[in-house]
Amino acid sequence: PLAAGFGGLGAGNTTAGGFSFGGFGLNANPAAVSFNVGCFGTATTTGTVFNFGNSLASTGGLFGNTQNKGFGFSSGLGAATATGATGFGTGLGTTSLGGFGGFGGIQSTQQQQGGLFGQQAQQPGQAQPTQLYQQVTALSAPTLLGDERDSILAKWNQLQAYWGTGKGYYSNNNPPVDFTQENPFCRFKAVGYSCVPVSKDEDGLVVLLLNKKEADVRAQQQHLVESLHKILGSNQTLTVNVEGVKALPNDQAEVIVYVVERSPNGTSKRIPATTLFSYLEQANVKMQLTQIGVIMSVTRTELSPAQLKQLLQNAPAGVDPIIWEQAKVDNPDPEKLIPVPMVGFKELLRRLQIQEQMTKQHQTRVDIISSDISELQKNQATTVAKIAQYKRKLMDLSHRVLQVLIKQEIQRKSGYAIQVDEEHLRVQLDTIQSELNAPTQFKGRLNELMSQIRMQNHFGAVRSEERYNVDADLLREIKQHLKQQQEGLSHLISVIKDDLEDIKLIEHGLSDSGHIRGGILS
């Protein structure tokens, strides 16, 4: 689910000679003409404030210098950065897999020295300006032409920055700046939600992303386990286990594995996820993983309360703090979901594909449950029919037992006088019989119903004799058909008679030849 659509960051509307990008106010050139794109909202910025939310106030990554990549966020959230502005670097989720329990778009945990956009931070004494300064200059005060056309060029650069594409020309002495969707002025940003991992480090779960289809991975699962065991040094005390296999878009799959170490005394324990991940991130090991189709590995471990608190308090670089606060308020399940930024249509499409895939998986599971329910309903109907059958059988057996008991009781008490309790019972039975024989009671009503049924059957039989009438032409055709049948039978009878006469003649000839042969022999 998405907390906000693209364009939800508000549109700039300056009133002090500058321009604004939603939550990002900017006025580096008070003489510039105001610029407003109404289709992106109505957020208003006044004054000459240059604000990027809290992106410039950050002194590190959202997780400090931790090397834990277990949380499923974009690369801008998972990587520890050096002291300075936290930038978009490799982008907030543009190449990630995150969301919905998958990889979180964690790219690399290596520390990066850079400015807001992943470039080398320029020192005050350096001659070349930073990329941020170049973008600001291109948006507010370009000096390419030196006349009023520079204000038009500034508006064009602002529009390109809005859409996150194109090149911004601002000076004759410097090359143009490239506008990408990762720049802080891009409007195509939204906030979605991802599941918070619940696995602990002791569980040892590490997710491997393979550039193969799920069916191929399942078919070659044993080969994958053997290859991982060889990568681990073919240690006999280590056993590689597969927790699960899950399909991902673009014909990719993720495999959740853990390693169990057995000690000589017979006990076993799982290798912690961070330890296994650190081993797999070694250069030589990563090369071997690449040979078996592994693109990336991520630990699946839960976040500590301090990490969650720090993540929620500080908005990611380039995301308006107001939007971030609203996303936290709109979180449908704060205990299980956490907001994550989405930048660009590519990330939105990726999350849409993941959601469609999860929907298909849920629909498949629902179909399986539906078939199970249908089977259970059939079994229930069969059971109900059997219960009714057994009830009828029980009633028949009860009547038979009752008849046997009556006969046995008669034989046991033959010759004895009628006792008092038997007399009371006879009186009660006579009373019941008289009530049943009353004209307005059950027996009278039953006789009346039986008489009506007989009358209806009689009238139905009478009407049935007069109901049908054969058409004359149809009757003639029937007679013609019967006549042909009769002629065929007569012809068949004559053929049979002729055959019988031939058989008698043959028998007579055989008998004569036998007599002649006997006389010759004698």
Side-chain angles (χ1 to χ4, degrees):
L2 302 180
F6 290 134
L9 300 181
N13 184 10
T14 61
T15 58
F19 65 92
S20 172
F21 294 84
F24 310 105
L26 176 62
N27 188 1
N29 184 15
V33 180
S34 63
F35 181 75
N36 179 25
V37 180
C39 63
F40 293 98
T42 58
T44 303
T45 303
T46 60
T48 59
V49 180
F50 185 83
N51 178 24
F52 289 94
N54 60 353
S55 62
L56 296 180
S58 175
T59 59
L62 292 178
F63 296 104
N65 292 326
T66 179
Q67 293 295 326
N68 184 7
K69 290 171 55 178
F71 193 69
F73 283 149
S74 59
S75 57
L77 297 176
T81 60
T83 302
T86 301
F88 284 85
T90 55
L92 291 173
T94 56
T95 58
S96 65
L97 300 169
F100 306 104
F103 290 86
I106 308 300
Q107 295 295 328
S108 175
T109 57
Q110 298 178 356
Q111 296 185 358
Q112 299 176 357
Q113 297 286 342
L116 185 63
F117 294 90
Q119 301 293 331
Q120 291 293 329
Q122 301 293 330
Q123 301 299 327
Q126 293 180 348
Q128 294 296 331
T130 63
Q131 187 174 3
L132 174 61
Y133 177 79
Q134 293 174 358
Q135 290 183 348
V136 172
T137 304
L139 297 177
S140 58
T143 58
L144 185 66
L145 302 174
D147 52 19
E148 66 278 359
R149 290 176 294 178
D150 287 339
S151 62
I152 301 176
L153 180 62
K155 294 180 180 180
W156 172 247
N157 291 337
Q158 294 169 15
L159 184 60
Q160 291 185 105
Y162 273 152
W163 289 91
T165 183
K167 295 181 178 295
Y169 293 89
Y170 66 96
S171 175
N172 292 321
N173 299 326
N174 296 315
V177 61
D178 292 329
F179 291 114
T180 62
Q181 291 185 344
E182 285 75 22
N183 77 83
F185 309 106
C186 181
R187 292 301 181 87
F188 301 131
K189 298 174 184 176
V191 179
Y193 298 98
S194 292
C195 295
V196 179
V198 295
S199 302
K200 298 182 180 180
D201 189 26
E202 293 78 10
D203 297 334
L205 298 181
V206 175
V207 182
L208 302 177
L209 173 63
L210 282 79
N211 196 15
K212 297 180 181 179
K213 296 182 180 179
E214 179 189 7
D216 298 339
V217 173
R218 291 186 181 277
Q220 303 175 1
Q221 180 173 330
Q222 185 61 32
H223 177 69
L224 176 63
V225 171
E226 294 175 356
S227 300
L228 292 175
H229 189 262
K230 291 180 181 179
I231 293 174
L232 294 175
S234 299
N235 194 339
Q236 298 300 327
T237 61
L238 299 179
T239 304
V240 180
N241 299 275
V242 177
E243 181 75 11
V245 180
K246 180 181 177 182
L248 293 176
N250 301 324
D251 293 335
Q252 294 180 345
E254 67 174 20
V255 181
I256 305 174
V257 299
Y258 64 91
V259 179
V260 178
E261 182 182 11
R262 290 180 173 83
S263 59
N265 58 4
T267 61
S268 62
K269 66 175 183 179
R270 292 191 181 188
I271 301 297
T274 53
T275 304
L276 178 59
F277 174 74
S278 300
Y279 179 81
L280 296 179
E281 283 297 301
Q282 298 178 12
N284 57 340
V285 177
K286 290 187 67 174
M287 186 179 300
Q288 297 178 18
L289 291 175
T290 305
Q291 294 176 358
I292 62 175
V294 177
I295 302 176
M296 185 173 54
S297 59
V298 178
T299 59
R300 178 161 292 179
T301 55
E302 63 181 359
L303 294 175
S304 64
Q307 290 174 332
L308 286 174
K309 183 178 180 181
Q310 183 180 7
L311 176 65
L312 294 175
Q313 284 180 351
N314 301 323
V319 176
D320 192 345
I322 299 177
I323 300 299
W324 187 253
E325 293 297 329
Q326 186 63 36
K328 292 190 292 184
V329 174
D330 296 337
N331 192 341
D333 192 351
E335 297 295 331
K336 298 181 180 179
L337 301 177
I338 194 166
V340 292
M342 295 185 299
V343 180
F345 288 102
K346 185 178 180 181
E347 174 66 11
L348 183 64
L349 176 61
R350 185 192 60 79
R351 291 182 70 92
L352 179 61
Q353 291 175 347
I354 293 176
Q355 188 169 359
E356 290 178 349
Q357 188 172 13
M358 291 300 296
T359 302
K360 291 180 180 179
Q361 294 179 0
H362 293 165
Q363 185 62 42
T364 303
R365 177 57 57 184
V366 169
D367 294 340
I368 294 174
I369 295 174
S370 178
S371 61
D372 293 341
I373 291 175
S374 300
E375 187 67 23
L376 292 175
Q377 288 178 346
K378 292 180 182 178
N379 296 337
Q380 183 188 12
T382 305
T383 304
V384 170
K386 288 183 178 180
I387 290 173
Q389 180 182 358
Y390 291 149
K391 284 183 178 180
R392 291 193 298 269
K393 188 175 181 180
L394 176 62
M395 187 177 295
D396 295 338
L397 293 175
S398 300
H399 291 169
R400 293 175 61 182
V401 171
L402 181 60
Q403 293 175 0
V404 172
L405 290 176
I406 291 172
K407 293 180 180 180
Q408 184 180 5
E409 192 69 14
I410 291 173
Q411 292 178 359
R412 189 174 66 87
K413 292 189 176 182
S414 61
Y416 290 91
I418 297 176
Q419 298 177 359
V420 178
D421 54 350
E422 294 177 350
E423 184 64 25
H424 289 305
L425 183 60
R426 186 180 65 81
V427 172
Q428 292 178 2
L429 292 175
D430 291 340
T431 303
I432 294 173
Q433 186 67 24
S434 62
E435 290 179 357
L436 293 176
N437 292 334
T440 59
Q441 293 300 322
F442 303 106
K443 195 170 183 178
R445 294 179 182 178
L446 184 60
N447 293 331
E448 183 179 358
L449 291 174
M450 291 297 294
S451 63
Q452 291 180 1
I453 291 172
R454 292 191 187 97
M455 292 177 61
Q456 290 179 0
N457 292 336
H458 176 68
F459 290 151
V462 173
R463 287 195 298 268
S464 63
E465 295 176 357
E466 301 176 357
R467 182 180 301 174
Y468 302 103
N469 185 19
V470 181
D471 185 71
D473 296 335
L474 182 60
L475 184 60
R476 186 166 50 254
E477 291 178 1
I478 293 173
K479 290 181 178 179
Q480 182 68 22
H481 178 71
L482 293 176
K483 183 179 179 181
Q484 293 176 358
Q485 293 290 336
Q486 183 65 30
E487 291 176 354
L489 291 174
S490 300
H491 180 69
L492 182 60
I493 291 171
S494 62
V495 171
I496 292 173
K497 288 181 178 180
D498 294 340
D499 293 340
L500 289 175
E501 291 178 356
D502 295 338
I503 291 172
K504 290 180 179 180
L505 181 60
I506 292 171
E507 290 177 351
H508 181 69
L510 290 175
S511 61
D512 292 340
S513 62
H515 291 304
I516 295 172
R517 185 179 301 172
I520 293 173
L521 293 175
S522 60

